[in-house]
Amino acid sequence: MKKILIALFLPLMAHAQTLEECYRAAEHNYPLIKQYELMEQTTHLTMANIQKGWLPQITASAQATYQSDVASWPEQMQTMMNQMGMNMKGLKKDQYRVGIDITQPIYDGGTIKNQKEVARQQGNMQTAQHDVTMYAIRQRINEMYFGILLLDEQIQLNQYLQDFLSANEKKLASMFKRGTAAESDYNNMKAERLNVAQQMTTLLSQKRMLTMILGAFCGIEIKEVSKPIASNISDKYTNHRPELKLFDTQQQLTQAQEKLLDSYLKPKFSLFASGFYGYPGYNMFEDMMRHKWSLNGMIGARLTWNIGALYTRKNDKAKLNAQREAINIQRETFLFNNRLEQIQQEEEIQRYRQLMNEDSEIIKLRTSVRKAAESKLSHGIIDVNNLVEEINNENAAKLQLSMHEIEMLKKIYDFKNTTNN
């Protein structure tokens, strides 16, 4: 099933820019994805081997023995036979046989069926464990993806600030030519613009590096990333984390193991055929008279009932119950910690929403102060340092809003990752 999904999404991966596309590309590119096919093959082969338990079981054997005593005629009967001209040699103490035994199971009490189910559930558990490992990739993608978005916001604001400083620089250059502004004011504004341009170089370098890392992680070329939607979250979300499926498969495995224990207590019925070539054979009297190898065989039905499984059944059941209890404890612990994480993320999201509302008000005030500073500078009331300070304050307020927005988006998608919604 995973192969089909991957094949469907391959065309999208060539230009993956959204967060979901990066998730899919990273999962496809991650080396551990190859283990899914290997685990599927292993489970299939294991079950195929178990199914072969219904095939005839063939055993070949060869045996040579020397016995301290053998069956023989009574001495009086041997004397009487000799008088009648019959040589009763008796059985030889060295005996030989080469044979083959064939057993065809007819009813095994459900042992093979339950062994296959145990193998299937073990395969499901391994797949679920792998799903947990693969799911952890999403958090790493979140860190890189939203890191790039934050750099995008900083680059955009930096470019806006450069344009704004450049406009003021030109204005001061004109004022300097007319003699209404000092050269130091012009140089100060130009230095500030160059300083901001220098920051742009650092930001672009950081973005290139992080984009290349994300691209290498996803196995695709990423040029730009798109800002995801700030969707609403709800505490009514159903938790779909893969860890919960892992706990379910572990419980299902213990149930399959318990059924296998029950099957060990049931009787087994089979047909058999046995044959050998050797000495002595089944006709003991004939073999007492002639020491020759012969072909011998028998067929029949066999009913067996091994009650030895009763000896350890109580302890085996107790071990399975202990495993179930341990799995339940692990599940409860995971849900408890997961819920604490959700509460923390929900509070962080609300905090960032409140900060963004406050940021918007701060930006309005900073913009008003900056415009007033521009007017004061043009009338010679303040120097350029005061204007630069107010420009930086306004830019810092805008940057703060952008950072809070990206952080809020990241927390929203961290929350989605926490609940797998």
Side-chain angles (χ1 to χ4, degrees), residues 44-53:
H44 176 75
L45 292 173
T46 301
M47 293 176 63
N49 285 341
I50 294 173
Q51 182 64 26
K52 287 181 171 58

Coordinates of all heavy atoms in Angstrom, one line a residue, residues 44-53:
H44 N 6.0 -12.7 5.0 CA 5.4 -13.6 4.0 C 6.2 -15.0 4.0 O 5.5 -16.1 4.0 CB 5.5 -13.0 2.6 CG 5.0 -13.9 1.5 ND1 3.7 -14.2 1.3 CD2 5.7 -14.6 0.6 CE1 3.6 -15.0 0.3 NE2 4.8 -15.3 -0.2
L45 N 7.5 -14.9 4.0 CA 8.3 -16.1 4.0 C 8.1 -17.0 5.3 O 8.0 -18.2 5.3 CB 9.8 -15.8 3.9 CG 10.2 -15.2 2.5 CD1 11.6 -14.7 2.5 CD2 9.9 -16.2 1.4
T46 N 8.0 -16.3 6.5 CA 7.7 -17.0 7.7 C 6.4 -17.7 7.7 O 6.3 -18.9 8.1 CB 7.8 -16.0 8.9 OG1 9.0 -15.3 8.9 CG2 7.5 -16.7 10.2
M47 N 5.4 -17.0 7.2 CA 4.1 -17.7 7.2 C 4.0 -18.8 6.1 O 3.4 -19.8 6.4 CB 3.0 -16.6 6.8 CG 2.8 -15.6 7.9 SD 1.6 -14.3 7.4 CE 0.1 -15.2 7.2
A48 N 4.8 -18.7 5.0 CA 4.8 -19.7 4.0 C 5.5 -21.0 4.6 O 5.1 -22.1 4.4 CB 5.6 -19.2 2.8
N49 N 6.6 -20.7 5.4 CA 7.3 -21.9 6.1 C 6.3 -22.6 7.1 O 6.3 -23.8 7.2 CB 8.5 -21.4 6.8 CG 9.6 -21.0 5.8 OD1 9.6 -21.5 4.7 ND2 10.6 -20.3 6.3
I50 N 5.6 -21.8 7.8 CA 4.6 -22.4 8.8 C 3.6 -23.2 8.1 O 3.2 -24.3 8.5 CB 4.0 -21.3 9.7 CG1 5.1 -20.6 10.5 CG2 2.9 -21.9 10.5 CD1 4.6 -19.4 11.3
Q51 N 3.1 -22.7 6.9 CA 2.0 -23.4 6.2 C 2.5 -24.7 5.7 O 1.7 -25.7 5.5 CB 1.6 -22.5 5.0 CG 0.5 -23.1 4.1 CD -0.8 -23.2 4.9 OE1 -1.1 -22.5 5.8 NE2 -1.6 -24.2 4.5
K52 N 3.8 -24.9 5.5 CA 4.4 -26.1 5.0 C 4.3 -27.2 6.1 O 4.6 -28.4 5.8 CB 5.8 -26.0 4.6 CG 6.0 -25.2 3.3 CD 7.5 -25.1 2.9 CE 7.6 -24.5 1.5 NZ 6.9 -23.2 1.2
G53 N 3.8 -26.9 7.3 CA 3.6 -27.9 8.3 C 2.5 -28.9 7.9 O 2.4 -30.0 8.5

